[in-house]
Amino acid sequence: MMSPQLAKEATLSAWFREVIKNEPDSALRSLREDAFSFFEANGFPTPQTEDWKYTNVAPLAAIDWTVDSSSIAIGQDVPLDVVGQFRTARNGFTALNLAFANIAILRIAKDTVINEPVEFSFAAGEDRAIFPHIVVIAESGSEATIVESYDSQTKSFTNSAVQIIVEDNASLTHYRVQRESDEAFHYGVTEASMGRDSRYDLTSINLGSAISRHDIDAKFTAEGGEAWVDGLYMLGGSQHSDTHSVIDHTVPNCTSHQNYKGVLDGKSRGVFNGKVFVRENAHGTDAQQQNKNLLLSNDARVDTKPQLEIFNDDVKCAHGATVGQLEEEELFYLLTRGLPESLARNLLTYGFAEEIINKIGITAIKAELDATVLNRLGTSI
């Protein structure tokens, strides 16, 4: 008898046959077919795989999703040289993304500065699955800000991918905000490569979804690059959020900063696995990584594993992780100033998260996130 997961994969096969017959680009069609073949051979990842041992996606795999094929754009001028580099075989989700990818392209011309942020917003309908795939190419000397947001407000499945190329002397600021329904499922992957003297600044805010995961790969391809890979996950109830990141120093004299914070309440669970590679040739590397977690209940749990793998002596690297509760001395100080205990706790919690939210350089989005976080804490300003 066919297992439930295989039955769902058979349903996805039927959807794929409908999508692929309308794909006119033979090269893209081939990429999609190869990706779906990988998914058929491997299925959704399971906790038996080391990278997924803390995140069980069986509830997601058990649902008969309706693929939102109406949103899949066909016949675009897709840069196949870039899309072909996407790591389809990373796992079943990435394979499924490219198979059904609704591809959007943003090319920022050489030496061009875009002053207004470029926004990409996605929301899936009830029981629908969407597969956005964004390609951003910041050509040499360019500068821009992009905002990637996910706002599904029902039981749905978002499977997204973003490929980013920051060419020589270019600068790209990237905000990623996931605030989907607590009934939603979310998987996203970000792959970024950075050229000579480039700058890439990612801030990821993760507030929603029943089960969510974000995989991040950032790779330096020439000297002088600088990257920030920061984020906040704020969870409650039975939410589960998983962040896996790899920052790869393959060349000399590049700098990376990573600061992830987690606030967990109820019976929520967070996972952080951050790995920094410093390759043999990458002398002069400066890599700093930290993950701090604040547990607001006895039932919340976090598994954190920052890792450094260094193959060069001439480097400056550090990493660390903390898991704790509110500082009693700080709480006592506020109570002695006459604040009610619940308000004092909420203000301290907001203060913990504020460092990451303050990185959002767009006033309207920052204000909205402030309100969302304070509302979740039962506090207003």
Side-chain angles (χ1 to χ4, degrees):
M1 179 181 294
M2 184 180 290
S3 71
Q5 176 159 323
L6 288 176
K8 307 311 174 189
E9 291 166 7
T11 302
L12 288 169
S13 294
W15 282 110
F16 182 69
R17 287 194 295 273
E18 286 299 309
V19 168
I20 201 65
K21 71 182 182 183
N22 295 317
E23 176 55 71
D25 186 315
S26 60
L28 182 55
R29 180 189 178 96
S30 178
L31 289 176
R32 290 187 190 275
E33 289 174 333
D34 289 347
F36 197 76
S37 293
F38 180 90
F39 174 75
E40 287 184 308
N42 296 277
F44 290 106
T46 70
Q48 280 68 51
T49 303
E50 175 67 20
D51 277 352
W52 290 83
K53 68 178 182 179
Y54 296 123
T55 299
N56 185 354
V57 299
L60 179 159
I63 296 174
D64 259 334
W65 299 106
T66 297
V67 173
D68 190 354
S69 56
S70 64
S71 67
I72 296 175
I74 301 295
Q76 296 184 77
D77 185 17
V78 174
L80 293 171
D81 57 331
V82 177
V83 174
Q85 296 175 29
F86 181 61
R87 283 186 56 198
T88 305
R90 177 193 301 270
N91 58 54
F93 285 108
T94 46
L96 207 56
N97 174 276
L98 189 56
F100 290 110
N102 181 23
I103 301 175
I105 315 295
L106 173 64
R107 185 181 289 275
I108 306 156
K110 181 180 179 182
D111 296 327
T112 299
V113 176
I114 300 179
N115 292 316
E116 295 298 319
V118 180
E119 299 192 27
F120 300 90
S121 299
F122 305 96
E126 187 168 6
D127 294 329
R128 298 267 173 172
I130 59 172
F131 301 89
H133 188 122
I134 305 168
V135 177
V136 179
I137 302 171
E139 294 185 347
S140 61
S142 66
E143 183 176 341
T145 296
I146 64 170
V147 181
E148 177 194 358
S149 61
Y150 300 92
D151 296 283
S152 300
Q153 294 303 310
T154 185
K155 187 180 74 174
S156 57
F157 170 31
T158 298
N159 180 346
S160 70
V162 179
Q163 289 182 266
I164 289 173
I165 297 175
V166 189
E167 295 184 350
D168 296 351
N169 297 300
S171 176
L172 186 72
T173 301
H174 179 187
Y175 302 128
R176 184 182 198 277
V177 181
Q178 188 274 109
R179 48 194 165 194
E180 297 188 315
S181 159
D182 289 353
E183 296 181 295
F185 298 93
H186 183 99
Y187 175 79
V189 59
T190 302
E191 294 183 356
S193 70
M194 292 153 284
R196 183 176 299 278
D197 297 324
S198 63
R199 175 186 174 278
Y200 175 58
D201 187 351
L202 167 66
T203 305
S204 179
I205 307 292
N206 195 66
L207 304 174
S209 296
I211 299 174
S212 65
R213 171 153 167 157
H214 185 202
D215 287 340
I216 307 161
D217 276 7
K219 183 176 183 179
F220 295 99
T221 61
E223 290 191 53
E226 189 167 12
W228 287 261
V229 180
D230 300 331
L232 168 71
Y233 42 91
M234 190 165 189
L235 312 173
S238 57
Q239 284 184 285
H240 180 111
S241 177
D242 185 344
T243 301
H244 270 61
S245 68
V246 174
I247 300 176
D248 198 351
H249 289 258
T250 65
V251 291
N253 301 318
C254 293
T255 301
S256 67
H257 319 260
Q258 184 169 36
N259 182 16
Y260 256 80
K261 288 191 171 185
V263 178
L264 298 97
D265 203 351
K267 296 182 179 180
S268 63
R269 184 172 185 183
V271 180
F272 176 84
N273 190 309
K275 186 176 293 184
V276 176
F277 287 109
V278 181
R279 305 293 178 177
E280 189 172 345
N281 185 47
H283 58 81
T285 290
D286 184 349
Q288 309 295 323
Q289 180 191 60
Q290 61 177 341
N291 173 232
K292 295 180 179 178
N293 296 278
L294 180 60
L295 302 183
L296 301 179
S297 79
N298 292 329
D299 294 326
R301 174 178 169 181
V302 66
D303 295 284
T304 177
K305 190 179 181 182
Q307 303 172 76
L308 285 172
E309 294 196 20
I310 303 173
F311 301 95
N312 193 295
D313 293 332
D314 181 19
V315 299
K316 185 169 66 175
C317 299
H319 69 161
T322 62
V323 179
Q325 299 177 325
L326 292 174
E327 293 287 343
E328 289 299 326
E329 287 187 7
E330 294 177 352
L331 183 61
F332 177 75
Y333 175 83
L334 292 180
L335 294 177
T336 60
R337 289 330 187 246
L339 271 67
E341 181 172 343
S342 60
L343 178 59
R345 288 184 178 277
N346 290 347
L347 289 176
L348 289 174
T349 302
Y350 174 77
F352 177 83
E354 187 181 24
E355 178 184 6
I356 304 301
I357 295 174
N358 277 345
K359 280 196 68 193
I360 303 293
I362 301 173
T363 303
I365 295 176
K366 179 183 177 302
E368 190 177 338
L369 290 173
D370 277 338
T372 300
V373 170
L374 288 167
N375 183 56
R376 180 171 289 193
L377 294 171
T379 301
S380 61
I381 53 177

